[in-house]
Amino acid sequence: MIGWEVDGGVLHVTDADNAELTVEGADIAVDSDSVDIPRPVDETVVVTTSELRFPNAVVYAFSLHCDDHRELDPGGEPLVLPPGEYVVDVDTEIKSYLRFSGAATIERTPNYEEVVVSFPTRTRVVLGLRCRHELPVGTITVPDRPSAVADAITHMAASHKTDGPDRSYPTLRGHPALIEHGDSLEIPRCVRSGTPDHGIELVVPPDYESLLVTAPLAYYLQATVRTTGDCNVPAGSEPARPRLRLVDRGIDVEFSPMPELERDVGRLLRKTFFLDCLVRNVGPYGTTLAECSLLEALDIDAASLYDASPQDRLTAYLDVPDAAIKHRLPEWHLSTYVTPEYDSVETLPFLLDRLSMIYTPRSSELEGRELVERSLEDFYRGPDSYRNWPGRSGARSAIRATTGQIASVDIVKPDLRSGRTHGWLADGVPIDVFKSAPEAYDNRLDFLERASDATSICVVLNDPEMAGEHDRVADIYRQRSEELTIDLSVEESLETAALARVFEDDHDFVHYIGHCETGGLRCPDGTLAASSLDRCAVQTFFLNACGSFYEGRQLIEKGSVAGAVTLTKVLNDHAIKVGSTFAKLLVHGFSIERAMDLARRRIMMGKDYAVVGDGTHSLTQGDQPPTTATLNELEDDGCEAQYLLCLDCYSTRAAGAYYFPHTETNEYAYLCGNDSTFTLTRSELVTMLKETDAAVIYDGDVYWSDALWPRFDR
């Protein structure tokens, strides 16, 4: 899963998920012999050097001879290590560990772009590397029987790498084993032996609705799942009621039946996960987390709970009133609405890997002009800068004209519960969600196993009148290729056979600009229907053409993971705005759904755009979850100009991660999903924009931080 090569004094590392890591060394010598390192790694490389440079990251140093660990100061103070035996944890996108003997100095560069590990003399260093996203190990075969599915859910927890509160870190939750249909229950020996038994039981009614809804809680708690009738319940209790049991503590918590069970499960999972994120900070990977001040108010002894058994820790969490923390909880990152039936069970491992809430799908018809009204509401309720984007009216903008007929889509209104991003694994085409499919998750695994040295992007312009979008997005991809390894190809006026080859070739992303009709994507010699392809080898795509939803769905069924589509006719200048913004966000590590959600807010009719497939999927991976900043200038009070900067660092892939805003006065990290807000002078703003890799919403447009700061450097 890890590939590496040396080019001069640079070690290039890639994994199967397109993540990249570049490590620069001073007169580096590399030995590929495998050497042990006391951390979970996928690959080790032995290097001899006097200096190693990593992308900016959180860094911890651990002594191997005493119980001592230190964190590199986020504010810039170097970390000086006296002679000894050390393991240094560098939290880059591909997890890195350094083991060495001797003295070392670890420091950030003045611009906060790199972390430098230097040694007084040339030193032999074991570099351990671990992928963030492991492939699942093993496959569980499950018959059409709720009690068997309960057993399978129990064994999903075998992928956890710890049973302590550190399981709230995304790197310590592996991908659960796959599930496939069969005539009998079969659990691989490696999965069975790796499944913990902590004496925590989740008892639910023998129906798929209850099993799916409670699966995320069971997975995170590493609970044993049983169906009612298969176990004894306390006297006086309703035997059919779902319940949580802590066997050794004699605790039995009754949950409400469906549909209120969804609410009870969501509350307990959010509370447990959040408190784990706070308690873990007394452990070896702790940081100065802003939210930790809540522990003292709750009278929680984090040190004792960190080392407590899972039952004792959960007992303490159950005693915390929901009302005491509900206003401090980050909004849950992902909710998926799944048809409660046997066929849906195969998607469970993928949803649990993202730690998604699971809900029963419910929807209703959109009434009258409700789609238009909801689009406008979404546009106007955004940050002030969104409302001032150019092209706001769009009334005279031309439709992406076509002489053919556009495929119509019957759109419904989903009943959305809590969650920031929503996926739909059920019938219907709802707004405000990504329309996923079981094939998308299987396809993602296929692409993870296809290691590549570069990200392949193909831009197709099939209508010369749309050259404006074509030129903009091509420039965006070319600029990004200066920082990432991107192979860009640009095609124009492709006929059906040539366009078919584009989708059948191994591209990571195809950006199609043109027309879509009921017969398919329009070409000079006719239309190309995605259903006519033997296969689709394109990982992700954007069909920026009127009414491309069904063609996008077909590409998913033929082999793609995710893509952006339109539900109806779209205005040409709107398509240009959405297309260029989507391109910019996508190549900077935003997931397909997140990139589209932000891009479509640039226009009033944003509901015309949607995502099909696994919307949590990202084309590229950065050093941390992607960050969005909203920048507003405060009213002039006669003194130095001041600015309000709100940071939002968030990813559906990284629940439990944290970020550290680089301001001159900030001392705290924040949980991803929680905003951080700062009032800055002009000079402070320049410094922060230089040191923050973020998409910045400012003055009616989206800028990348490194391109925006020169505006204020005066």
Side-chain angles (χ1 to χ4, degrees):
M1 295 178 63
I2 294 282
W4 59 270
E5 63 179 9
V6 179
D7 181 9
V10 181
L11 177 67
H12 297 282
V13 184
T14 58
D15 71 6
D17 201 15
N18 285 331
E20 297 184 3
L21 171 65
T22 298
V23 183
E24 298 181 16
D27 193 20
I28 188 171
V30 179
D31 182 354
S32 61
D33 289 346
S34 178
V35 179
D36 288 338
I37 189 169
R39 293 294 187 272
V41 297
D42 298 314
E43 183 73 47
T44 57
V45 180
V46 179
V47 301
T48 302
T49 184
S50 59
E51 180 183 278
L52 291 171
R53 289 176 172 262
F54 292 84
N56 189 31
V58 176
V59 179
Y60 301 95
F62 300 86
S63 171
L64 294 179
H65 293 310
C66 62
D67 186 18
D68 177 42
H69 78 277
R70 285 179 275 176
E71 179 182 0
L72 176 63
D73 180 14
E77 288 297 317
L79 178 58
V80 180
L81 302 178
E85 293 271 347
Y86 295 98
V87 169
V88 173
D89 178 339
V90 187
D91 196 23
T92 48
E93 181 60 27
I94 296 177
K95 190 74 172 182
S96 305
Y97 299 97
L98 308 177
R99 179 174 182 174
F100 58 87
S101 298
T105 299
I106 307 173
E107 57 190 333
R108 302 182 195 278
T109 55
N111 59 7
Y112 286 86
E113 291 185 356
E114 292 181 304
V115 168
V116 182
V117 183
S118 56
F119 308 96
T121 60
R122 285 178 58 80
T123 300
R124 183 176 184 271
V125 181
V126 180
L127 173 61
L129 303 163
R130 187 177 82 232
C131 294
R132 293 289 191 176
H133 303 288
E134 297 180 358
L135 292 167
V137 177
T139 300
I140 300 173
T141 303
V142 180
D144 188 359
R145 191 173 68 247
S147 60
V149 173
D151 285 338
I153 294 173
T154 296
H155 290 285
M156 295 289 97
S159 65
H160 285 253
K161 298 170 185 176
T162 178
D163 58 12
D166 288 335
R167 64 189 171 181
S168 57
Y169 287 112
T171 55
L172 295 178
R173 299 188 304 270
H175 197 301
L178 298 179
I179 294 177
E180 67 178 9
H181 295 154
D183 296 328
S184 60
L185 179 65
E186 298 177 13
I187 301 171
R189 181 177 300 175
C190 62
V191 175
R192 190 181 293 276
S193 63
T195 303
D197 183 3
H198 297 311
I200 300 173
E201 294 184 352
L202 196 58
V203 183
V204 299
D207 59 72
Y208 290 126
E209 189 176 42
S210 300
L211 284 166
L212 291 174
V213 166
T214 56
L217 179 63
Y219 166 70
Y220 187 72
L221 294 181
Q222 300 167 290
T224 299
V225 184
R226 307 184 191 280
T227 53
T228 53
D230 293 338
C231 58
N232 297 322
V233 299
S237 299
E238 296 184 34
R241 290 286 287 269
R243 58 192 353 97
L244 176 69
R245 303 175 65 190
L246 279 62
V247 178
D248 298 335
R249 303 296 173 267
I251 295 175
D252 190 288
V253 180
E254 280 195 359
F255 292 140
S256 303
M258 287 291 295
E260 288 79 11
L261 177 62
E262 295 179 339
R263 176 202 60 205
D264 291 350
V265 166
R267 284 178 178 173
L268 183 54
L269 178 53
R270 291 183 70 196
K271 177 166 70 173
T272 303
F273 185 82
F274 177 63
L275 292 175
D276 268 353
C277 288
L278 306 189
V279 169
R280 74 189 186 191
N281 280 280
V282 301
Y285 305 110
T287 188
T288 52
L289 197 65
E291 293 86 349
C292 274
S293 60
L294 183 61
L295 290 176
E296 184 176 352
L298 296 174
D299 195 24
I300 289 179
D301 184 353
S304 63
L305 288 182
Y306 184 83
D307 295 319
S309 69
Q311 280 196 62
D312 287 341
R313 194 167 59 251
L314 182 55
T315 298
Y317 292 171
L318 289 171
D319 288 337
V320 175
D322 292 337
I325 63 171
K326 67 178 182 179
H327 296 299
R328 300 291 297 274
L329 295 174
E331 188 174 8
W332 198 253
H333 59 287
L334 177 64
S335 296
T336 310
Y337 303 81
V338 184
T339 302
E341 60 186 19
Y342 174 58
D343 286 345
S344 299
V345 172
E346 289 184 325
T347 62
L348 262 181
F350 303 101
L351 304 183
L352 299 182
D353 180 51
R354 295 290 197 252
L355 205 58
S356 173
M357 294 286 189
I358 297 178
Y359 295 111
T360 301
R362 297 190 292 267
S363 63
S364 57
E365 293 185 1
L366 287 164
E367 299 178 359
R369 291 177 50 83
E370 189 173 2
L371 179 61
V372 175
E373 292 169 356
R374 288 169 70 98
S375 290
L376 296 177
E377 178 185 348
D378 195 42
F379 178 81
Y380 280 109
R381 73 184 176 192
D384 290 342
S385 50
Y386 276 125
R387 300 177 216 142
N388 297 324
W389 262 328
R392 171 175 154 182
S393 67
R396 289 182 288 181
S397 174
I399 294 288
R400 293 211 147 177
T402 177
T403 57
Q405 185 176 357
I406 303 298
S408 61
V409 180
D410 294 327
I411 306 171
V412 298
K413 178 173 61 177
D415 176 12
L416 300 181
R417 271 74 98 195
S418 63
R420 184 162 178 176
T421 299
H422 303 270
W424 194 262
L425 271 165
D427 293 336
V429 184
I431 58 173
D432 299 320
V433 305
F434 62 86
K435 171 72 173 179
S436 195
E439 297 92 342
Y441 303 107
D442 294 328
N443 297 340
R444 180 165 65 85
L445 288 185
D446 291 340
F447 281 100
L448 287 178
E449 294 174 331
R450 301 185 204 175
S452 61
D453 296 329
T455 300
S456 172
I457 297 178
C458 181
V459 180
V460 178
L461 174 65
N462 258 20
D463 187 330
E465 295 183 2
M466 301 175 185
E469 177 186 352
H470 165 271
D471 295 341
R472 288 193 197 182
V473 300
D475 285 345
I476 289 169
Y477 299 137
R478 287 192 187 98
Q479 291 171 11
R480 187 58 171 154
S481 67
E482 297 174 2
E483 302 173 19
L484 292 180
T485 308
I486 293 177
D487 288 337
L488 176 65
S489 59
V490 179
E491 307 287 351
E492 297 184 22
S493 301
L494 294 183
E495 296 188 344
T496 53
L499 184 58
R501 284 194 296 273
V502 167
F503 286 107
E504 290 172 347
D505 287 344
D506 293 331
H507 292 295
D508 293 299
F509 180 64
V510 169
H511 192 136
Y512 172 85
I513 304 165
H515 301 291
C516 183
E517 302 170 358
T518 53
L521 302 175
R522 191 206 283 179
C523 301
D525 63 337
T527 57
L528 173 69
S531 59
S532 68
L533 299 173
D534 292 332
R535 67 168 188 139
C536 179
V538 170
Q539 184 178 168
T540 58
F541 56 85
F542 186 9
L543 304 182
N544 203 359
C546 295
S548 61
F549 172 81
Y550 290 112
E551 294 304 311
R553 280 279 306 275
Q554 283 289 327
L555 292 179
I556 300 298
E557 293 178 9
K558 292 289 184 176
S560 290
V561 180
V565 295
T566 65
L567 299 174
T568 183
K569 293 182 179 181
V570 293
L571 302 175
N572 192 53
D573 69 338
H574 285 191
I576 293 173
K577 291 183 180 70
V578 172
S580 58
T581 305
F582 180 84
K584 187 182 300 184
L585 296 169
L586 188 69
V587 294
H588 279 88
F590 285 75
S591 69
I592 300 284
E593 171 64 21
R594 178 71 169 144
M596 177 49 66
D597 179 60
L598 290 169
R600 65 190 178 191
R601 290 173 183 245
R602 290 201 63 182
I603 62 174
M604 281 188 172
M605 292 308 297
K607 305 295 186 188
D608 293 344
Y609 285 85
V611 168
V612 292
D614 179 11
T616 70
H617 190 64
S618 300
L619 176 64
T620 64
Q621 314 294 345
D623 295 326
Q624 65 174 19
T627 301
T628 306
T630 303
L631 176 62
N632 290 293
E633 187 169 358
L634 298 177
E635 292 186 12
D636 189 356
D637 60 359
C639 301
E640 183 180 0
Q642 290 192 315
Y643 300 84
L644 187 67
L645 187 71
C646 180
L647 296 180
D648 176 21
C649 185
Y650 152 79
S651 169
T652 50
R653 300 170 38 251
Y658 61 87
Y659 67 102
F660 189 92
H662 290 291
T663 70
E664 296 180 8
T665 58
N666 179 54
E667 300 176 353
Y668 296 102
Y670 295 79
L671 288 175
C672 288
N674 276 347
D675 294 346
S676 56
T677 302
F678 303 93
T679 300
L680 306 171
T681 63
R682 185 186 298 275
S683 61
E684 290 171 339
L685 176 64
V686 169
T687 300
M688 188 164 188
L689 291 177
K690 284 182 177 180
E691 298 170 359
T692 302
D693 190 26
V696 184
I697 302 165
Y698 171 70
D699 193 27
D701 211 337
V702 176
Y703 301 88
W704 213 256
S705 50
D706 60 3
L708 182 61
W709 69 261
R711 287 195 178 198
F712 303 95
D713 191 21
R714 51 193 168 96

